[in-house]
Amino acid sequence: MSQDVVLSVQNLTVVFHTPDGDVVAVNDVSFDLRRGETLGIVGESGSGKSVTASSILRLNNSNTATTTGSIIVSGVDVLTAQDSEVRRIRGSEVAMIFQDPLSALNPYYTVGKQIAEAYLVHHPRASKADARGVTLDMLKKVGIPSPEKRIDEFPHQFSGGMRQRIVIAIALINNPKVLIADEPTTALDVTVQAQILDLMKDLQSEFNMAIVLITHDLGVIAETALDVLVMYGGRIVEKSTVEALFSEPTHPYSWGLLGAVTSLGTSDRGELVAIAGSPPSLISLPAGCSFNPRCAYALDICSAQVPLLRSVGTQGSVTACHLPNNEILTFGRKAASR
Amino acid sequence: MKQRRIIAAVGFALVASVVAAACGGSSGDGSEDGTPTKGGTIHILSNGEQIAHLDPQRNYTGDDLAFAGSTMHRTLTSYAYAQGDEGSGIVPDLATDTGTFNDDATVWSFTLRDGGTFEDGAEITCADVAYGVSRTWASDVITDGPTYASSYIDAGDYPGPYKATAEQQAAYDKAVSCDGKTITFNLKVPVADFNYTTTLLAFSPVPKAADTGEKYDLKPVSSGPYKIESYTIGKSLVLVRNENWSQDSDPVRSANPDSFVYEFGLDEAVMDERMIKDAGDDQFAVSAGIQPENLPTIFDDDAFKDRRVDEYDPFVTYTNLNVKNLSCVEVRKAIYLALDREALRKAGGGPYTGDFADGFIKPALALDYKKSTMPDGLNVDGTANVEAAQAAMTAAETACPEVATRAKDGLSFYRPATPVWDKAVAIWIDSLGKVGIKLKDEPVEPSVYWPTVMNPETNYDIARGGWAPDWANASTVIPELFTTSGGFNLTRNADDPDYAEFQTKVDAAKKELDRVKQGVMWQELNQYVVDRLWALPGTFTKVQAIWGSKVGNAYQWAPFGAYNYGDLYVKS
Amino acid sequence: MFMFIVRRVFFALVLLLAVSFFTYMLFALLPSDPAALTCGKNCKPDVIAANRIRLGYDKSLMEQYWLFLKGIFAGRDYGAGAAAFSCGAPSLGYSFGQHECVTTLIAQTFPVTVYLSIGAFVLWMLIGISTGAVAALHKGKWQDRAASIFTSIGVSLPTFYIGLLVLFSVVIWLGILPFPSYESPFENFPTFLRTMILPWSVLAVLSAASYTRLTRNGMLEAMNEDFVRLGVAKGLTTRIVLRRYVMRQALVPIVTIAGLDFAGLLGGAIITESVFSLPGMGKMSIRAVVESDLPVLVGTTMVAAVFIVVANVIVDIAYGYLDPRVRVK
């Protein structure tokens, strides 16, 4: 592991035990995250991206989920560490923000108290006055107007965008090395979305923080990420840089995703092409490549064997597809040019 | 001066022997040594929330009269403190004797004995007795009590002591007058057994200064061996010794226990369990009434034989027939013969509820009771005799065809709307149906039942009846139930051809000063009614009770069908 | 906030007025005749008529009601001449059956009901919330199943049955406790405790059941909330998350419902008081129904209504305090 890898996920597999059977929500996911970088994780609902994110802080319910693999943060494997170790990491080395700011905050306490709480947990010898001072600074930093007044207000007195800023404040108050943002802008409207993304970028450079940004919105990825993981059916199907993804996507699923995106710049008033079919049921995944029922390019082998990740192209992309490299690149470029 | 009459020799001897027995102490309950010991606390367990009335002029319930009279309220005359029929005899209490009267028993005098005191030590004077009696006239405040005083004594328009003008009060003082220690009552009608009437607590003394009117019910002043220490409705009533009562002045009461605790508001099932268990203070407790499901436990097991009783209470139940509508004795006979009294009794709870009555006077009124001859064909075991009933109906069709037809068309049966009566009326309908008599069930809201049937406008054919004598003389039974001036006559028999003769006989009995002779006359009159079936005799009801193992003298006092509470003692 | 309270109090008074009015009206519709109920053997129609006048039922219903209302503020006089007496304000009437002003009767019986209610309340909240919490934390396991059995039993068994069963087994068969005989805690504290422990327990166990379920479900719902996850993600210990996040949310509806339940109990736990012979307001009111003692009936109904209304106001205010989102500005 190189010096500046702050988070290393190796062979993460999460199996949920339900009354209807076992669900493999995350299947053999591995990635490294370096200091200051942003990794985007893209996929539909049920692709396993959120479960991957929550596994990093060991937030899955151990009664219903079996998590295997390793998640190394600051030399500690989160999955096997003691509870006290994990709690130390949570909120201080690795912080998380969730999708819905309207329900992310405890409605019964003031925002000041909640931010201070996050600080005091990891600075137990700090005084309340200290914590309050730090909280005020943070509120200013995340762009809350009149923070001296608003610090004693309750979450319901803030708009969605403001609340997400407060969530970010809570996450960043202890200068974490890694911020996991699970769909941070999905519940916000477009203008606020942009503000939040900008805020995150500013704070990232200020704190030299790595970000794992989970989203189903390719536009967001384009804006913020350096590298991208595309997940489908619990597995990584493509790993590439953002440029590579948008110029030379290397998986049929990615091609479909790009086809389903419209950008303001394109001239043709082409239709949004949805990917045929629907996401697979995680309980009964298709045999072989889970994408094969919806894949226009499926081969016989696709329904028999799970494709393994392999390099393709010159931009460092990795893909899990049985198609030969040259076809992948051809189709990919075509998809990107649409 | 009034002439004095001595009661006939036999009657006097009876009374004298009872007085002697009373003076000599109670006869005990017969199962052990019977020597009462002084001291201890008797507990009385009750499901009720309070004693209905402790005000002596308002007290009219058998159990409460027995309780209050034996502990707190002395009267001019009292019943003998004795078991069995002896308890129905009268003895002097505050008076020196059982009263003297003039030729026609319209003027009665009693002389108060020395030494009677209230709980504050004040002497009980004639004026106190007169005042107490006068309260009965204040019927807007002093409610629910017996009104014999105001109906027997002529005091003009006297409205009671609270509202009387000087003139009205003077009229009363003339009717009930005091001369030293002698009190004289001027009655408007002859009352041969007025000295029985004076056993009612309505003739108890009340000190005028302590009269709190409506509220006297909570704290009456005691003239007896015990006084109220505390009275909390819903919780308890505690009586302690009246230090100012002297045994010398009171030949009647023994006052053995130191105190009484009357516990209210107890759940009936719990009460039974406590009495059966007989633990701790419950050994000194008495309770009245036993839940039907516990009767076998107590009466089939000899372990309880010394502390249980299954005896007659003073009540008789019967059925009134509207003699005006059912003017034909054959039809009345048919009804009685067809009725399955055994089924009725079973539905009501079985043999523990009572025996089949043979009239309207119970054996406890020893002088007035004689076993009656019942109508021909009436089954002793209470079952219906359908053939005899049918025969009676057939005879009726000839003798009084309209009445017979009326019976077949439908007779209105007025009864209280309660679950118990729902079951009973079904048996009535079924029984009478077997001989072609139809019944129309008319259920009446229980609290308005008596006012409804007592209203002359209500045209019932059959209505229920139940009665107990107000004192131990059938003069409070036969005239009340069957004469037109009676307070509770639901038979509407005024037009019956035999009524005139009946009335004459009743008048004679009421005037008869020889108690024994009078008793024979009541016996005949009872038979008279039974022969004509103006009402159908129902049940001589019984009471069952259980008391703690350390309670002595727990006999049922004949005149009241309740314990003689004041005569109980704690066994050491 | 002040105007909010003023408004609520005003409406509460209107409601109480309506309650008293309807009680009077309903009473008038009852088939039984109160004047005839104490009649005894002398039950002739003229006696009953006199009784009716004495009790005041000869007056029109509106007049009766008006006298009642007046009495609350000015006291009320009864009787005439030397036998006159009065009930001081606030007079809720006079019970001729118990020879006492209704206000006094309520003052005497109410403390018993209060002691019963408070003891039961504390116990049932403790039992209910703790069993519910255990069930939620061990969802699906035997603790959860046991709690759900407990809930079903408690919710379905009638008080009367359980009360008598407990009384019989503990007092009669096992002889652990003596028969309940109420004494004021200021006069005889040991007897008071010994008497109250059974009714407290019976009421508590039966009422706790629904709180077990409420707590369990409330906690499980809360545990699924996003903000709870965020709390964990902050690195807080499980205990703190349970307290500040999970329980804090779960308790809000529980506290409000408990407030209303408690107020209802203050109106008189009739069955419990009867089985355990407690001279409380519940027993007194059921007796008033049976004996058609209108003044007592109206008095106890009003008192019970007062508690429900007051409890509602308090709960409304408390809810705003407990849940900032609902606060009135």
Side-chain angles (χ1 to χ4, degrees):
Chain A
M1 203 161 72
S2 83
Q3 203 72 320
D4 56 349
V5 170
V6 286
L7 170 66
S8 178
V9 176
Q10 303 293 331
N11 308 108
L12 177 67
T13 300
V14 181
V15 181
F16 285 110
H17 311 289
T18 72
D20 298 322
D22 280 350
V23 174
V24 185
V26 176
N27 201 331
D28 199 19
V29 165
S30 307
F31 60 88
D32 287 341
L33 185 65
R34 267 164 278 279
R35 183 172 275 277
E37 285 183 355
T38 304
L39 173 71
I41 304 184
V42 176
E44 296 167 324
S45 331
S47 56
K49 55 192 201 299
S50 289
V51 179
T52 305
S54 56
S55 302
I56 297 174
L57 280 180
R58 209 161 90 179
L59 293 176
N60 297 326
N61 185 343
S62 58
N63 288 328
T64 51
T66 308
T67 312
T68 50
S70 64
I71 298 179
I72 316 281
V73 174
S74 303
V76 174
D77 181 0
V78 168
L79 295 181
T80 56
Q82 298 263 9
D83 283 342
S84 52
E85 262 310 285
V86 177
R87 269 186 263 128
R88 188 187 61 78
I89 291 175
R90 286 177 185 154
S92 66
E93 313 247 351
V94 179
M96 191 157 171
I97 62 181
F98 298 112
Q99 169 177 328
D100 185 1
L102 293 177
S103 59
L105 294 169
N106 187 331
Y108 307 104
Y109 294 99
T110 60
V111 303
K113 263 188 114 173
Q114 293 186 54
I115 300 172
E117 180 184 46
Y119 182 76
L120 287 167
V121 159
H122 298 285
H123 299 88
R125 267 174 298 210
S127 71
K128 290 231 175 94
D130 289 340
R132 195 176 167 87
V134 174
T135 302
L136 274 170
D137 285 341
M138 203 65 216
L139 282 174
K140 288 191 197 119
K141 222 174 271 198
V142 298
I144 304 285
S146 327
E148 301 82 10
K149 191 163 71 100
R150 309 216 75 186
I151 188 175
D152 292 321
E153 287 182 1
F154 289 93
H156 69 274
Q157 294 170 281
F158 294 83
S159 69
M162 286 286 149
R163 277 191 239 187
Q164 195 65 303
R165 291 172 193 264
I166 293 166
V167 170
I168 292 173
I170 291 175
L172 299 187
I173 194 139
N174 295 314
N175 292 358
K177 293 193 196 134
V178 179
L179 173 70
I180 305 170
D182 188 353
E183 312 241 26
T185 55
T186 307
L188 303 170
D189 56 15
V190 182
T191 43
V192 181
Q193 199 167 328
Q195 291 169 6
I196 297 294
L197 289 175
D198 285 340
L199 174 64
M200 281 170 63
K201 274 194 279 195
D202 290 339
L203 293 172
Q204 176 181 39
S205 55
E206 184 178 333
F207 292 113
N208 200 16
M209 195 173 55
I211 300 181
V212 177
L213 180 60
I214 294 151
T215 180
H216 62 267
D217 187 340
L218 283 178
V220 170
I221 292 290
E223 284 271 316
T224 56
L226 195 61
D227 295 307
V228 181
L229 293 181
V230 180
M231 287 186 70
Y232 186 85
R235 291 177 197 275
I236 298 177
V237 297
E238 174 168 354
K239 232 194 260 197
S240 51
T241 64
V242 164
E243 291 97 21
L245 182 68
F246 283 98
S247 61
E248 204 178 67
T250 57
H251 192 278
Y253 178 58
S254 315
W255 305 334
L257 282 182
L258 286 176
V261 169
T262 184
S263 73
L264 290 168
T266 52
S267 55
D268 73 57
R269 245 79 65 86
E271 298 151 29
L272 283 175
V273 183
I275 308 175
S278 46
S281 147
L282 290 176
I283 285 189
S284 46
L285 284 169
C289 169
S290 354
F291 185 66
N292 90 73
R294 303 165 79 184
C295 182
Y297 309 88
L299 307 168
D300 283 340
I301 189 177
C302 297
S303 47
Q305 232 182 51
V306 177
L308 299 172
L309 285 165
R310 68 170 198 280
S311 294
V312 61
T314 54
Q315 300 195 54
S317 302
V318 173
T319 187
C321 182
H322 286 301
L323 286 173
N325 283 9
N326 57 330
E327 284 188 30
I328 287 177
L329 293 170
T330 318
F331 292 136
R333 286 186 198 120
K334 202 152 60 151
S337 65
R338 251 187 276 140
Chain B
M1 275 299 276
K2 306 170 280 269
Q3 270 188 316
R4 291 171 183 228
R5 272 298 177 95
I6 309 291
I7 301 174
V10 175
F12 178 80
L14 177 68
V15 170
S17 70
V18 167
V19 170
C23 285
S26 323
S27 54
D29 54 4
S31 56
E32 34 9 75
D33 60 58
T35 312
T37 47
K38 297 241 179 257
T41 300
I42 293 281
H43 292 258
I44 302 160
L45 306 188
S46 166
N47 174 247
E49 297 287 313
Q50 64 181 97
I51 299 199
H53 291 291
L54 278 176
D55 183 327
Q57 272 74 35
R58 297 171 82 175
N59 194 338
Y60 204 1
T61 317
D63 203 282
D64 297 340
L65 287 168
F67 174 73
S70 61
T71 54
M72 293 192 290
H73 295 130
R74 298 182 62 178
T75 45
L76 293 170
T77 53
S78 164
Y79 288 108
Y81 279 36
Q83 238 187 346
D85 295 345
E86 266 187 76
S88 298
I90 55 167
V91 295
D93 182 358
L94 279 173
T96 51
D97 57 29
T98 54
T100 53
F101 48 92
N102 62 353
D103 281 343
D104 61 353
T106 53
V107 180
W108 280 78
S109 293
F110 300 84
T111 305
L112 296 180
R113 63 173 81 230
D114 293 327
T117 45
F118 288 113
E119 64 182 79
D120 60 356
E123 202 193 334
I124 299 173
T125 64
C126 177
D128 294 321
V129 178
Y131 180 77
V133 175
S134 76
R135 293 166 87 242
T136 299
W137 273 258
S139 55
D140 54 340
V141 176
I142 306 302
T143 59
D144 302 336
T147 53
Y148 290 100
S150 50
S151 52
Y152 283 173
I153 298 167
D154 187 356
D157 61 353
Y158 182 60
Y162 309 123
K163 290 206 239 176
T165 63
E167 280 156 14
Q168 289 168 323
Q169 188 63 47
Y172 173 79
D173 293 336
K174 237 175 97 181
V176 179
S177 63
C178 277
D179 178 15
K181 289 181 118 57
T182 302
I183 184 167
T184 303
F185 298 95
N186 292 290
L187 312 176
K188 42 183 168 186
V189 289
V191 181
D193 53 358
F194 187 68
N195 50 4
Y196 278 78
T197 316
T198 53
T199 60
L200 291 171
L201 297 188
F203 291 83
S204 261
V206 174
K208 181 170 176 178
D211 186 359
T212 51
E214 221 292 313
K215 294 187 182 270
Y216 198 63
D217 236 358
L218 295 177
K219 185 115 184 45
V221 174
S222 167
S223 50
Y226 299 92
K227 61 178 181 184
I228 297 176
E229 184 184 71
S230 69
Y231 183 21
T232 310
I233 291 182
K235 176 102 181 70
S236 65
L237 165 68
V238 179
L239 298 185
V240 294
R241 284 195 190 278
N242 173 7
E243 307 298 339
N244 283 311
W245 169 84
S246 80
Q247 175 78 78
D248 291 333
S249 72
D250 191 338
V252 179
R253 303 172 183 75
S254 316
N256 295 308
D258 286 332
S259 61
F260 290 87
V261 175
Y262 209 122
E263 296 176 38
F264 300 119
L266 302 177
D267 178 272
E268 283 160 321
V270 173
M271 269 166 60
D272 280 359
E273 289 297 325
R274 283 174 68 166
M275 294 312 297
I276 290 172
K277 193 160 184 225
D278 194 41
D281 277 350
D282 292 338
Q283 293 180 333
F284 312 114
V286 297
S287 79
I290 300 174
Q291 295 290 89
E293 59 268 14
N294 292 322
L295 287 170
T297 312
I298 293 171
F299 285 92
D300 291 347
D301 187 346
D302 268 355
F304 297 98
K305 76 171 164 55
D306 292 336
R307 53 192 195 94
R308 67 185 182 208
V309 69
D310 175 20
E311 271 180 13
Y312 282 160
D313 60 30
F315 279 86
V316 180
T317 64
Y318 55 92
T319 308
N320 290 293
L321 298 177
N322 187 335
V323 176
K324 189 154 177 205
N325 292 351
L326 300 171
S327 53
C328 173
V329 69
E330 278 79 15
V331 173
R332 303 200 292 269
K333 227 169 140 187
I335 293 175
Y336 200 30
L337 290 168
L339 185 62
D340 190 346
R341 291 166 293 140
E342 172 54 32
L344 280 175
R345 184 169 76 163
K346 195 149 163 220
Y352 280 112
T353 58
D355 295 338
F356 300 118
D358 68 337
F360 309 94
I361 298 173
K362 252 166 139 164
L365 297 185
L367 293 172
D368 308 326
Y369 174 75
K370 180 169 152 204
K371 198 159 157 50
S372 315
T373 316
M374 301 305 281
D376 236 358
L378 190 75
N379 286 342
V380 175
D381 64 358
T383 51
N385 187 339
V386 180
E387 301 110 51
Q390 193 61 66
M393 272 310 280
T394 316
E397 271 151 30
T398 333
C400 45
E402 325 82 42
V403 182
T405 319
R406 194 199 153 89
K408 298 221 191 92
D409 284 342
L411 302 176
S412 58
F413 187 98
Y414 275 63
R415 50 94 178 179
T418 63
V420 171
W421 268 100
D422 289 342
K423 281 197 269 184
V425 78
I427 295 170
W428 269 88
I429 292 173
D430 188 57
S431 299
L432 268 54
K434 294 208 172 81
V435 296
I437 300 177
K438 209 162 136 210
L439 279 188
K440 287 183 288 188
D441 180 21
E442 303 279 356
V444 182
E445 215 284 325
S447 70
V448 298
Y449 183 75
W450 293 127
T452 306
V453 296
M454 288 173 79
N455 186 343
E457 315 262 323
T458 312
N459 191 20
Y460 55 87
D461 290 309
I462 306 176
R464 70 164 287 230
W467 191 253
D470 278 335
W471 57 79
N473 189 321
S475 64
T476 60
V477 179
I478 303 290
E480 290 295 317
L481 301 183
F482 302 113
T483 64
T484 50
S485 56
F488 210 64
N489 184 353
L490 294 175
T491 60
R492 305 210 176 153
N493 55 353
D495 294 335
D496 188 285
D498 292 334
Y499 182 76
E501 184 188 44
F502 178 73
Q503 178 72 68
T504 317
K505 284 184 189 267
V506 170
D507 290 338
K510 278 166 90 166
K511 287 211 207 101
E512 178 54 59
L513 297 174
D514 180 330
R515 182 71 181 96
V516 174
K517 261 205 202 150
Q518 192 194 41
V520 173
M521 293 163 91
W522 294 129
Q523 291 166 15
E524 285 167 6
L525 284 162
N526 185 43
Q527 182 69 62
Y528 200 96
V529 177
V530 172
D531 287 339
R532 283 153 193 75
L533 290 179
W534 288 336
L536 309 177
T539 312
F540 285 160
T541 53
K542 288 163 99 182
V543 66
Q544 291 83 31
I546 179 173
W547 56 89
S549 53
K550 294 220 169 71
V551 177
N553 264 357
Y555 57 85
Q556 293 292 302
W557 207 1
F560 299 109
Y563 296 103
N564 186 339
Y565 294 93
D567 216 21
L568 298 169
Y569 67 90
V570 171
K571 293 188 201 165
S572 49
Chain C
M1 198 60 170
F2 177 69
M3 276 316 294
F4 170 77
I5 296 179
V6 165
R7 263 206 318 271
R8 293 300 263 108
V9 169
F10 174 72
F11 281 123
L13 288 173
V14 170
L15 187 62
L16 285 176
L17 199 67
V19 166
S20 67
F21 184 74
F22 278 113
T23 308
Y24 258 87
M25 296 306 127
L26 276 177
F27 190 84
L29 293 174
L30 289 177
S32 60
D33 180 4
L37 283 174
T38 54
C39 210
K41 287 178 85 178
N42 255 340
C43 222
K44 304 187 180 77
D46 54 319
V47 170
I48 294 173
N51 224 14
R52 188 165 294 118
I53 296 174
R54 178 180 75 104
L55 294 172
Y57 296 131
D58 57 319
K59 303 193 176 71
S60 77
L61 208 57
M62 289 312 297
E63 200 185 336
Q64 288 183 47
Y65 182 64
W66 170 241
L67 285 172
F68 163 75
L69 277 185
K70 238 181 15 163
I72 296 178
F73 302 102
R76 198 159 159 190
D77 298 323
Y78 295 90
F85 60 92
S86 64
C87 287
S91 162
L92 290 168
Y94 179 79
S95 166
F96 283 93
Q98 299 188 57
H99 313 292
E100 191 54 88
C101 298
V102 175
T103 314
T104 313
L105 288 174
I106 291 178
Q108 284 170 355
T109 53
F110 181 60
V112 181
T113 305
V114 169
Y115 299 142
L116 178 66
S117 306
I118 291 180
F121 178 73
V122 167
L123 270 183
W124 95 49
M125 289 298 269
L126 284 175
I127 296 175
I129 293 179
S130 52
T131 48
V134 167
L137 292 172
H138 295 95
K139 178 175 173 205
K141 301 204 213 119
W142 70 265
Q143 293 96 328
D144 193 9
R145 256 174 269 276
S148 115
I149 293 175
F150 168 66
T151 305
S152 309
I153 293 178
V155 156
S156 38
L157 284 179
T159 317
F160 188 86
Y161 175 76
I162 289 296
L164 274 180
L165 193 63
V166 165
L167 187 63
F168 275 40
S169 37
V170 174
V171 176
I172 295 172
W173 300 329
L174 295 174
I176 298 175
L177 286 171
F179 279 97
S181 170
Y182 178 80
E183 305 237 9
S184 156
F186 303 107
E187 282 170 29
N188 191 338
F189 191 68
T191 306
F192 168 76
L193 266 190
R194 273 200 299 263
T195 298
M196 297 301 279
I197 193 117
L198 282 181
W200 275 340
S201 311
V202 167
L203 263 186
V205 165
L206 293 178
S207 315
S210 46
Y211 285 89
T212 304
R213 190 189 282 166
L214 270 176
T215 308
R216 177 193 181 272
N217 294 346
M219 279 179 71
L220 286 176
E221 259 182 57
M223 292 197 269
N224 279 335
E225 293 269 7
D226 276 346
F227 69 85
V228 172
R229 279 214 318 163
L230 194 87
V232 176
K234 280 185 186 178
L236 296 169
T237 60
T238 317
R239 236 194 349 194
I240 292 185
V241 171
L242 277 178
R243 186 159 45 92
R244 286 191 207 154
Y245 289 70
V246 177
M247 278 310 252
R248 183 63 178 75
Q249 162 139 314
L251 280 180
V252 173
I254 288 174
V255 164
T256 51
I257 293 175
L260 296 175
D261 274 352
F262 179 68
L265 207 55
L266 284 178
I270 291 170
I271 295 176
T272 312
E273 287 178 14
S274 299
V275 169
F276 293 96
S277 309
L278 301 174
M281 225 173 66
K283 198 136 85 92
M284 187 167 80
S285 50
I286 201 73
R287 200 179 146 210
V289 170
V290 168
E291 296 176 1
S292 289
D293 190 345
L294 177 61
V296 173
L297 201 58
V298 173
T300 52
T301 308
M302 295 284 291
V303 169
V306 164
F307 289 123
I308 303 280
V309 167
V310 165
N312 268 282
V313 172
I314 292 178
V315 159
D316 276 349
I317 297 173
Y319 211 107
Y321 185 72
L322 288 171
D323 190 343
R325 295 172 285 188
V326 174
R327 254 170 225 186
V328 179
K329 274 293 175 185

